[in-house]
Amino acid sequence: MSETTIARLAGAEFVGTTIVMLGGPGLMVIAGDEIGPLGVAVGFGASIAIAIGVIGAVANPMFSLALWMSQGIGGRELLSDWVGQFLGGVFGAALIFGMNDTTRFTTGVNSWDPGRLDEGVDIGVNLSGYGDLGVVLAAELTVGTLVVVVLLSAITQQRSSGAAAAFTGLAYMVGTMFLLGISGAGMNPARSLGMAAFADTEANALARVWLFIVVPVAAAFAGTVVWLLIDDATIDD
């Protein structure tokens, strides 16, 4: 694979991840109170579908890792994906930071702490607060695994790119609705790290972002294993 192709892949992931940042956490920060949890979930799902179906990116390091594990992409493609995705995550968060009048985020970040709202910090979109560490870990791992299974299944069943994008976007939307009141809906290390970099220190998102990087790695592996169990493909394939 040529250097030009690698650069184009990284560029596509950069653009796709920026779209996801604006359509997901960007909506939470700018318009979360107006559109509510359902609107935020639709924004996440639609932006993922656009990134996959239109831009040709997966816009999520967890997805790229699952594709590499399933031999859908090579090692150089994986690295180029990650470079574009993490740069897109930080760039997208910087755009949201600027549109939010350079006010650091207490909304749109990922964390855990069941008493967060009781301390007077509003995490937005009428949520009840973050869950405790164990609940957040289990929920993020379960939902991330299922979304990976949907992505791999949609691709390997030889559906069109548009259909694969739609199914993955719908799965991501449902997963976001489930996770919003638990963790703020992570499932994407680039999104989590980007928002944490501009988060208010009170939310402590940057110190806790490790979980939202480690768990998607585990979810990519678990999702690939589950996909192998239900698909005709084998580990040798």
Side-chain angles (χ1 to χ4, degrees), residues 39-124:
V40 169
V42 170
F44 268 104
S47 58
I48 283 288
I50 291 170
I52 296 174
V54 179
I55 306 300
V58 292
N60 189 328
M62 178 178 71
F63 289 166
S64 293
L65 182 59
L67 289 172
W68 176 76
M69 289 179 175
S70 62
Q71 298 188 358
I73 61 175
R76 294 184 68 190
E77 292 171 271
L78 174 65
L79 293 178
S80 68
D81 280 5
W82 281 355
V83 169
Q85 289 158 356
F86 281 106
L87 288 177
V90 174
F91 179 71
L95 290 179
I96 301 166
F97 178 66
M99 290 185 284
N100 196 44
D101 296 327
T102 61
T103 299
R104 287 191 167 268
F105 309 132
T106 55
T107 301
V109 298
N110 302 125
S111 189
W112 65 86
D113 186 348
R116 179 57 51 199
L117 288 186
D118 294 337
E119 297 172 9
V121 179
D122 183 7
I123 63 174

Side-chain angles (χ1 to χ4, degrees), residues 201-215:
T201 55
E202 179 64 24
N204 204 21
L206 194 57
R208 298 176 177 180
V209 74
W210 63 266
L211 183 142
F212 301 97
I213 295 175
V214 173
V215 171

Side-chain angles (χ1 to χ4, degrees), residues 112 132-142 182-183 210-211 215:
W112 65 86
D132 61 34
L133 175 59
V135 172
V136 169
L137 192 155
E140 286 280 339
L141 179 59
T142 301
I182 298 175
S183 62
W210 63 266
L211 183 142
V215 171

